[in-house]
Amino acid sequence: MKDFFEYVSNNTGQILNLLGQHIYLSILSVLIAVAIGVPLGIIISRNKSLSKPVIGAANVAQAIPSLALLGFLIPFIGIGSTPAIVMVVIYSLLPIVKNTYTGLTNIDRDILEAARGIGLTNSQIMRKIQLPLAFPVIMAGVRISAVTAVGLMTIAAFVGAGGLGYLVFSGVSSVDNNMILAGAIPACILALLIDFVVGRVESKISYTSKTSAKPGRKNAPLMRRIAIPALIGIVIIGTGVTYAFNMAGAKEKIAIGSKNFTEAVILANMAADLIEDKTDIEVERKLKLGGTQVVFNALRKGDIDTYIEYTGTGLVTIMKKEVSNDPDEVYNMVREGFKETYGLETLKPLGFNNTYTLAVRQDTAEKYGLETFSDLAKVSNELTLGATIEFTNRKDGLPGLVEMYNMDFGDLRAVDGGLRYKALQSRETDVIDAFSTDGLLEEFKLKVLEDDRKFFPPYFAVPIVKEETLKEHPEIKDVFDLLAGKLTDEKMRKLNYRVDSLKESPQEVAKDFLIEEGLIGN
């Protein structure tokens, strides 16, 4: 626990900023869901033939896995807060619509007949009779949606919307329990606070609570009855509103994105620091957006202006070309293809080649005499492979390996991020995919096998920038060129090790490197 509190103390500013993002996104999503769900519930309560298809559609929408829904939304509305808000709104509709419908349709008919008997119109009955009586049931639906929204919004980090999920995803990928807890604990506390506030508001201003109030408290002032939940609500909403105003007041920036692993985050911070130091351009950092296709599509749609890609990934995964082992040929093909097809500029390589590899525990290597991929292929049917989801589906990943080396693993378990290293260490798997510059290879003392048939193409890191961005800010090219050739495999591995194993901040590691290389001042 001492390490956890030390982490929180050192990163209080970041945690509070992410908390503000989380509150803003959650509250906005619930308000939109209420604005849609309550009127929809009223409509289907008046026209009951619509109730089954509407509630059925809401049920189906809620049954869709959240990540699948986000993945579906990205091609249409891009990344950032918009798809995250849309996702949470969709999931929040069912309890609000259903509870509104249930509350309105379960009111005693005698009460409604009496209201008509004294001459009230349908709209007056709805406002003065039905909604007040249904209010506790409606609020129960809102309460469920609000608490659920806080939990769901952690996934917002998957599409670059920020929030506390950023810490959770970062902690998982870097095997950092302190970071995971720093994101999860505030999210849990926030959910409990929102549940308390909505519950107290529901109990204090509902019709049933007024009619059942004790004689001594019946005339208690309204402000006194809701003072505590109101105060907590003001703090929660105030935090979110402050974040919203900060967003609205932000100057125009260029956005740098990154994939969802340590090295990509370090490089994105490095590029951002260098641009901010050498130019007057403000940089927005949209980090850990996801895998290759997510980040590349974000670049094409204009959600980001630049990110660091790898030549082999660009050739095989994005351009769908055949594997080549010639570094210069791969770079030229990617540069020309990206420019002609996508309107993207590929700048000079940063220097290191972060190729894929396979790694095993030392005892596994000794038991089977493993040195090369060919050695592994001979005993693969006795071993379990724990690989990232992306690796299991890439042509330059597992499918290609199986074809070239005739590998046939006894079992395959898709495990993303740093979790695959933990799975290997706990003997749940025997082989993992890795990057040659992974810092965790050193921490876990793994045996890296040789790709003896040279299956994997070269993966030299290169900045990819939109042509429009370079036309507007041509100085960016000169800044990126300062990094060209500065990073060797060994240097990059050490930087990754500092983040993954020594638990240093990617921002600090990136800045330290730039200072050591004389690229920026202290």
Side-chain angles (χ1 to χ4, degrees):
M1 290 302 293
K2 180 181 177 182
D3 291 340
F4 169 69
F5 287 118
E6 184 177 345
Y7 176 85
V8 172
S9 176
N10 293 334
N11 297 274
T12 302
Q14 181 191 29
I15 294 171
L16 290 177
N17 181 54
L18 294 174
L19 176 62
Q21 295 175 14
H22 207 96
I23 293 172
Y24 164 73
L25 294 171
S26 300
I27 292 179
L28 180 59
S29 300
V30 173
L31 290 176
I32 294 172
V34 169
I36 297 172
V38 172
L40 193 56
I42 293 172
I43 291 171
I44 64 176
S45 72
R46 289 182 168 179
N47 189 346
K48 294 185 180 179
S49 62
L50 295 174
S51 62
K52 287 187 177 179
V54 169
I55 294 176
N59 271 307
V60 170
Q62 196 167 57
I64 301 172
S66 53
L67 285 176
L69 183 57
L70 275 178
F72 175 77
L73 291 172
I74 289 171
F76 298 98
I77 55 180
I79 62 169
S81 59
T82 303
I85 291 171
V86 171
M87 176 199 69
V88 174
V89 168
I90 290 173
Y91 280 113
S92 300
L93 283 176
L94 178 61
I96 296 174
V97 172
K98 193 171 184 178
N99 280 37
T100 301
Y101 172 77
T102 302
L104 293 173
T105 55
N106 284 346
I107 296 173
D108 193 328
R109 291 186 178 182
D110 292 339
I111 296 176
L112 299 180
E113 287 299 325
R116 293 189 183 95
I118 62 174
L120 294 182
T121 64
N122 287 337
S123 61
Q124 288 175 325
I125 292 173
M126 177 62 68
R127 293 196 316 271
K128 297 182 178 182
I129 307 296
Q130 288 180 283
L131 284 177
L133 290 176
F135 181 78
V137 181
I138 296 172
M139 285 300 294
V142 174
R143 188 176 181 179
I144 293 170
S145 295
V147 174
T148 304
V150 174
L152 279 173
M153 199 53 77
T154 57
I155 306 174
F158 178 74
V159 290
L164 294 168
Y166 176 80
L167 292 173
V168 176
F169 280 98
S170 299
V172 169
S173 65
S174 60
V175 198
D176 190 340
N177 290 332
N178 293 326
M179 191 177 290
I180 295 173
L181 291 173
I185 292 176
C188 291
I189 294 173
L190 178 61
L192 292 172
L193 286 175
I194 287 180
D195 179 65
F196 172 76
V197 170
V198 178
R200 294 290 289 179
V201 171
E202 172 195 341
S203 66
K204 291 300 182 183
I205 66 176
S206 69
Y207 171 80
T208 53
S209 69
K210 291 178 181 178
T211 57
S212 61
K214 295 180 181 180
R217 300 181 60 188
K218 189 171 183 180
N219 296 320
L222 178 63
M223 286 302 294
R224 197 172 74 188
R225 288 189 284 132
I226 65 171
I228 294 177
L231 181 61
I232 296 175
I234 290 170
V235 172
I236 292 175
I237 295 173
T239 306
V241 169
T242 299
Y243 172 73
F245 274 116
N246 288 339
M247 287 179 59
K251 297 179 181 179
E252 184 179 352
K253 304 175 180 179
I254 67 162
I256 292 182
S258 86
K259 299 185 185 183
N260 55 351
F261 56 92
T262 297
E263 182 171 287
V265 177
I266 293 173
L267 294 175
N269 278 296
M270 208 177 283
D273 285 345
L274 201 54
I275 290 173
E276 288 177 336
D277 184 79
K278 301 298 181 183
T279 72
D280 294 327
I281 303 170
E282 288 192 68
V283 179
E284 181 180 5
R285 307 177 196 216
K286 296 186 175 182
L287 309 179
K288 296 205 170 192
L289 297 179
T292 299
Q293 294 299 343
V294 173
V295 186
F296 187 72
N297 285 333
L299 182 66
R300 291 185 63 192
K301 288 180 66 67
D303 293 320
I304 60 175
D305 297 285
T306 179
Y307 79 100
I308 306 298
E309 188 50 273
Y310 298 88
T311 53
T313 302
L315 179 71
V316 179
T317 304
I318 297 175
M319 294 173 58
K320 310 297 183 185
K321 301 292 185 181
E322 292 298 320
V323 174
S324 170
N325 297 113
D326 185 329
D328 293 333
E329 180 185 19
V330 171
Y331 173 75
N332 290 328
M333 289 176 67
V334 169
R335 184 180 61 183
E336 294 169 6
F338 276 18
K339 185 176 182 64
E340 294 173 2
T341 308
Y342 306 112
L344 302 174
E345 289 289 344
T346 304
L347 305 184
K348 295 178 182 179
L350 304 184
F352 68 95
N353 177 22
N354 187 14
T355 186
Y356 268 121
T357 189
L358 297 176
V360 298
R361 295 185 304 275
Q362 293 291 344
D363 63 309
T364 303
E366 292 173 6
K367 178 179 178 180
Y368 295 101
L370 302 180
E371 293 290 340
T372 66
F373 286 11
S374 294
D375 294 336
L376 178 65
K378 297 173 185 176
V379 296
S380 58
N381 62 326
E382 301 180 37
L383 304 174
T384 297
L385 173 66
T388 59
I389 296 172
E390 184 171 352
F391 183 80
T392 60
N393 293 288
R394 287 172 57 144
K395 186 177 179 181
D396 58 335
L398 183 59
L401 273 178
V402 169
E403 183 178 342
M404 175 170 280
Y405 284 97
N406 196 29
M407 292 182 180
D408 182 23
F409 288 100
D411 192 13
L412 170 64
R413 297 184 182 179
V415 187
D416 262 353
L419 291 178
R420 67 192 194 280
Y421 284 89
K422 278 194 169 182
L424 183 67
Q425 186 184 40
S426 62
R427 299 182 180 277
E428 295 179 48
T429 60
D430 304 298
V431 186
I432 63 168
D433 69 307
F435 299 114
S436 60
T437 56
D438 276 357
L440 291 173
L441 290 172
E442 176 65 24
E443 178 180 351
F444 288 91
K445 306 298 181 186
L446 302 181
K447 172 71 174 180
V448 177
L449 304 181
E450 179 190 351
D451 180 11
D452 50 311
R453 295 188 186 178
K454 308 299 180 187
F455 165 72
F456 290 121
Y459 293 88
F460 284 91
V462 290
I464 307 294
V465 190
K466 294 185 65 178
E467 285 184 339
E468 296 92 331
T469 302
L470 281 181
K471 288 178 181 177
E472 187 175 352
H473 304 288
E475 63 270 33
I476 291 177
K477 181 179 182 301
D478 295 330
V479 173
F480 272 120
D481 284 349
L482 294 174
L483 280 175
K486 292 289 186 181
L487 285 157
T488 63
D489 291 9
E490 183 180 358
K491 286 181 180 179
M492 194 68 244
R493 192 180 300 114
K494 287 180 178 178
L495 297 179
N496 288 331
Y497 178 77
R498 286 177 59 184
V499 175
D500 288 333
S501 302
L502 303 182
K503 309 305 179 187
E504 296 183 38
S505 162
Q507 294 93 325
E508 292 177 1
V509 170
K511 189 172 184 178
D512 288 347
F513 173 80
L514 295 176
I515 293 172
E516 289 170 5
E517 293 291 324
L519 296 175
I520 64 174
N522 289 316

